[in-house]
Amino acid sequence: MAIERDQVYAPPELRQEEITVDAIGGPVIVRGLMLADRLALWDEEQPRKDETTEAAAKRSRATLVERQLARMVVLADGEPLWTAEQWRAFGQQHPQDAFRLYNLGNSFSGGDTKAIEKN
């Protein structure tokens, strides 16, 4: 038998945090991945025409952090701060800041930050 309405837990709130990053110019909002973001990332990981599953996985892993940052770091209006390509350049110049933002957003998304901290 299904539960009654008064037995339902409160709906979850979006996990996010405002964090100041001097290399960006001030505070930004880091949030966990939305379900739509997860699906979009999964879709990007699928093999392209004439690409093997192994090649697709390698391509996907190589750009995962910047693709996730493009979805997790937003401005006050909720819109993404930068594209994945712009995050790639930021990560080249400010890797510690990029991984700090990634680890925070990933923790909100249920990800394992210990693996990335080792690198």
Side-chain angles (χ1 to χ4, degrees):
M1 175 191 285
I3 62 176
E4 299 292 326
R5 173 124 345 249
D6 62 349
Q7 295 173 298
V8 175
Y9 297 140
E13 294 185 17
L14 176 63
R15 295 184 68 193
Q16 63 182 32
E17 183 177 320
E18 187 173 284
I19 184 169
T20 299
V21 182
D22 293 336
I24 291 175
V28 294
I29 298 168
V30 180
R31 64 183 186 196
L33 289 172
M34 309 291 195
L35 182 57
D37 294 325
R38 289 180 184 272
L39 294 172
L41 287 166
W42 178 81
D43 191 49
E44 292 170 5
E45 294 169 1
Q46 300 311 301
R48 297 174 180 161
K49 185 178 180 179
D50 298 326
E51 184 179 45
T52 66
T53 303
E54 183 178 290
K58 184 183 273 189
R59 172 183 45 80
S60 175
R61 281 191 305 272
T63 61
L64 180 63
V65 171
E66 56 217 32
R67 290 185 297 121
Q68 285 191 349
L69 284 171
R71 289 174 166 81
M72 293 188 299
V73 182
V74 299
L75 298 173
D77 62 5
E79 293 297 315
L81 172 65
W82 289 327
T83 66
E85 292 77 21
Q86 291 166 324
W87 278 110
R88 183 176 303 132
F90 180 81
Q92 177 193 42
Q93 297 173 24
H94 306 282
Q96 289 179 321
D97 287 325
F99 283 122
R100 182 169 60 116
L101 293 167
Y102 174 80
N103 285 338
L104 180 59
N106 202 35
S107 72
F108 292 155
S109 303
D112 179 13
T113 59
K114 292 191 187 325
I116 198 77
E117 287 171 359
K118 292 178 187 175
N119 295 326

